[in-house]
Amino acid sequence: MEKKPYIVGVGGANLDLNGASKAAIRLRDSNPGHISLSAGGVTRNVCENLARLGADVKLLSCVGDDAFGSFICQACQDAGIDISHLNRVAGVSSSIYLSILDADGDMLIGMSDMTIIQEHMPQAYLQAQKELIQGAKIITTDPCMGENVLLQLLDLCTPEQIVSVDPVSCAYARVLAPHIGRIHTAKPNRMELEILAGMGIRSDEDLQRAGARLIEKGLRRLFVSLGAEGCFYMDHTGLVLRRKLRPVKQMVNASGAGDSFAAAMLYATLNGWNVEKTLDFAMAAGIAALSHERTINPNMSVSLLEDILEAHRI
């Protein structure tokens, strides 16, 4: 009997501390707001969304033996992520991500402490997971681990695997940029694409030229999230697409939209859907995330995304 294809996530698993202001933020002052605690980390978030959509997903990451590490592990298990291969590091604090959202639900500033995965992931850890990694149909990862770990992962992956990377931020996009030709699928935003392509983007023509630069380097698929403007897509076959859904009327929390988009895109990839259906499904997942106060919408499911598509398709 053929085994069900699975996805392996390799990257950050954080505790997310989100502060949402109730009014316009006054800098250098105390602002009334709502503060929430949740499990996070870009790769972990993508894995949770995938698990909630019904995919078989396994997480490779590092957490501390502290209360935050236990919180992260419990959240992963509750969502259905396989964490049996997770590395627990004694005496080291788990990763933490702090974000401040403005009164409109958009991120004003974020700060991450990824010390555990950048400095305390043993060199032998990923090597010991070689069989698991090479058995996956899709690998989803991020550059938060640092360049050395990213390169070690890429060396372990096989040519037929789909390796998908979210650059996460402009700072981490600089880590990824020299190696973009070794990646199958990338999901940057406009600012991250500028760094990956080494050029400014001021127009749709610039957007397409920047994408073409990455494809020429060896990238196979490019998904550029453009917020309310939708998504730009380009691949190695020469296909170029722009897709858009009707935006939400009220954005609650923008911090998890990109992770939800990536997860739905990979779920669609796992199931062999065409590009148009993949883009629409991914954008619907972004809307699902924007509409909930948590970084990950706990109601994430295929049926929810189908309902969102019905309501937001233009």
Side-chain angles (χ1 to χ4, degrees):
M1 184 176 178
E2 189 176 350
K3 290 183 179 180
K4 178 183 177 182
Y6 64 89
I7 297 174
V8 168
V10 185
N14 306 341
L15 182 86
D16 278 2
L17 187 62
N18 296 316
S21 182
K22 292 182 177 179
I25 289 180
R26 292 175 56 91
L27 297 178
R28 304 183 186 280
D29 195 9
S30 178
N31 292 265
H34 174 70
I35 298 173
S36 61
L37 201 64
S38 61
V42 168
T43 293
R44 196 217 68 87
N45 288 350
V46 172
C47 288
E48 176 167 342
N49 280 296
L50 278 164
R52 291 187 182 279
L53 288 170
D56 181 0
V57 59
K58 307 170 193 305
L59 178 64
L60 299 180
S61 187
C62 289
V63 297
D65 60 349
D66 53 2
F68 291 164
S70 298
F71 183 94
I72 293 166
C73 288
Q74 188 62 56
C76 290
Q77 289 176 318
D78 290 346
I81 301 171
D82 179 354
I83 60 167
S84 61
H85 305 276
L86 205 65
N87 187 36
R88 296 293 295 264
V89 184
V92 179
S93 298
S94 297
S95 297
I96 300 177
Y97 175 74
L98 170 67
S99 67
I100 301 297
L101 309 178
D102 62 24
D104 296 321
D106 211 353
M107 186 176 71
L108 178 69
I109 191 169
M111 184 177 296
S112 62
D113 180 352
M114 307 289 293
T115 305
I116 188 171
I117 200 164
Q118 293 171 351
E119 298 181 10
H120 298 280
M121 180 181 279
Q123 188 72 24
Y125 173 60
L126 288 186
Q127 186 63 41
Q129 309 300 329
K130 179 179 178 179
E131 185 177 347
L132 182 76
I133 291 169
Q134 294 185 345
K137 183 172 182 178
I138 296 172
I139 303 292
T140 179
T141 187
D142 64 68
C144 296
M145 304 174 291
E147 187 173 31
N148 290 339
V149 179
L150 177 64
L151 289 176
Q152 185 187 13
L153 173 63
L154 293 177
D155 287 342
L156 287 171
C157 293
T158 63
E160 63 270 16
Q161 287 181 298
I162 295 170
V163 180
S164 178
V165 180
D166 187 323
V168 180
S169 69
C170 291
Y172 287 123
R174 294 185 180 92
V175 175
L176 177 62
H179 315 293
I180 194 66
R182 300 184 64 185
I183 305 301
H184 182 284
T185 300
K187 192 208 71 63
N189 60 28
R190 196 189 303 261
M191 291 190 302
E192 293 158 359
L193 178 60
E194 288 184 330
I195 292 168
L196 294 176
M199 62 173 283
I201 299 173
R202 302 293 178 267
S203 64
D204 286 347
E205 291 75 17
D206 288 344
L207 185 62
Q208 191 158 335
R209 279 196 294 270
R213 285 191 180 187
L214 302 192
I215 299 298
E216 288 166 6
K217 291 180 179 180
L219 185 73
R220 308 278 285 179
R221 296 192 305 173
L222 175 68
F223 296 81
V224 184
S225 50
L226 302 171
E229 297 175 48
C231 180
F232 171 82
Y233 173 85
M234 178 180 280
D235 65 30
H236 70 289
T237 70
L239 181 61
V240 178
L241 284 175
R242 285 286 293 266
R243 301 285 283 188
K244 183 178 180 180
L245 296 179
R246 187 178 295 109
V248 293
K249 293 180 180 179
Q250 179 62 47
M251 180 169 60
V252 178
N253 181 357
S255 62
D259 303 337
S260 298
F261 179 103
M265 176 268 290
L266 293 176
Y267 180 85
T269 300
L270 191 69
N271 287 281
W273 296 356
N274 65 34
V275 176
E276 290 85 354
K277 185 177 180 180
T278 296
L279 289 170
D280 287 353
F281 195 70
M283 287 187 292
I287 289 173
L290 291 171
S291 306
H292 201 278
E293 67 170 8
R294 295 187 189 177
T295 304
I296 296 171
N297 189 329
N299 303 310
M300 181 64 71
S301 66
V302 172
S303 60
L304 173 64
L305 301 192
E306 289 173 346
D307 290 344
I308 289 172
L309 274 177
E310 283 295 314
H312 290 266
R313 190 177 274 119
I314 296 174

